[in-house]
Amino acid sequence: MNDLARQHSTPVAPTARADGLSTSQEVRAAYGRAIVILMALVPCTAATSRRIVAEAARSAGASPDEVAAAVLAMRVGEPVAPAVDEALRRVLADARTLPTPATGSWLPPRPDVLRRHVNHLRAARRRAVAAPDDAGVRGELEDAAYTLCILMQQRSAHGALLATEELIAANRLDAPVGRPPQRKHGPRPAIGPGESDFEPGGLAGAGPGQGRGVPPVALTISPVM
């Protein structure tokens, strides 16, 4: 075997870094952080977040790692390739689905139960944005999103959050003055086209339900809606 053939047949060790991480390890860590950040932004489960990255990568003709790096760059206001930026915005918008109609036998949870779960999801989203490397926080966010989907019989965490906020708001409006809100058993009010948990500019500092008394998640990603 000549030197050139030997060179191409010998595995090349990952580049070492001063902090002890190889380049490949750093790329995997960045991908993991991006997945958690997207979970918090949409909100969604980890599986949906990975699908967002994969679909944006296919649309932009980029690799998933490049899309993940773009998510992290956009979060701190750094520019990214226009094709990746456009693909991410489009896929994120598609991921924010509206609630689906509940079955006739579905009994809505009590408003106090819904508020507790919504507050838990909000807190998990904030912690995930602040500490995307924390596996425990990622697990908490995943569990909170999944639980809300089950409670509200929704296919997506974003749809479940919208349906929950609509139900809580309807219960609050229907309650007589001076009496605690009662559980509403009728159908939820229809959600108009384009209504979303993230207002326009939702990735630029807006959190779930901004404008409806929900504290924002501090982010600096540009608007997608």
Side-chain angles (χ1 to χ4, degrees), residues 32-93:
R33 285 194 296 272
I35 293 301
V36 175
I37 289 170
L38 290 174
M39 288 172 65
L41 286 177
V42 174
C44 63
T45 62
T48 299
S49 183
R50 288 191 290 270
R51 187 168 66 249
I52 289 171
V53 171
E55 290 180 1
R58 284 194 295 269
S59 178
S63 71
D65 290 335
E66 289 173 322
V67 172
V71 171
L72 300 180
M74 293 168 73
R75 179 174 174 245
V76 295
E78 295 179 356
V80 300
V84 175
D85 179 87
E86 180 182 353
L88 264 174
R89 296 174 189 278
R90 183 171 58 252
V91 176
L92 280 169

Side-chain angles (χ1 to χ4, degrees), residues 166-217:
E166 290 291 337
L167 193 59
I168 291 173
N171 181 268
R172 185 183 301 118
L173 291 174
D174 289 348
V177 177
R179 291 188 181 182
Q182 300 297 314
R183 181 166 51 180
K184 184 179 179 66
H185 295 277
R188 293 191 304 270
I191 297 178
E195 288 188 19
S196 171
D197 178 49
F198 281 76
E199 301 294 336
L203 296 187
Q210 185 175 15
R212 297 183 232 173
V214 181
V217 177

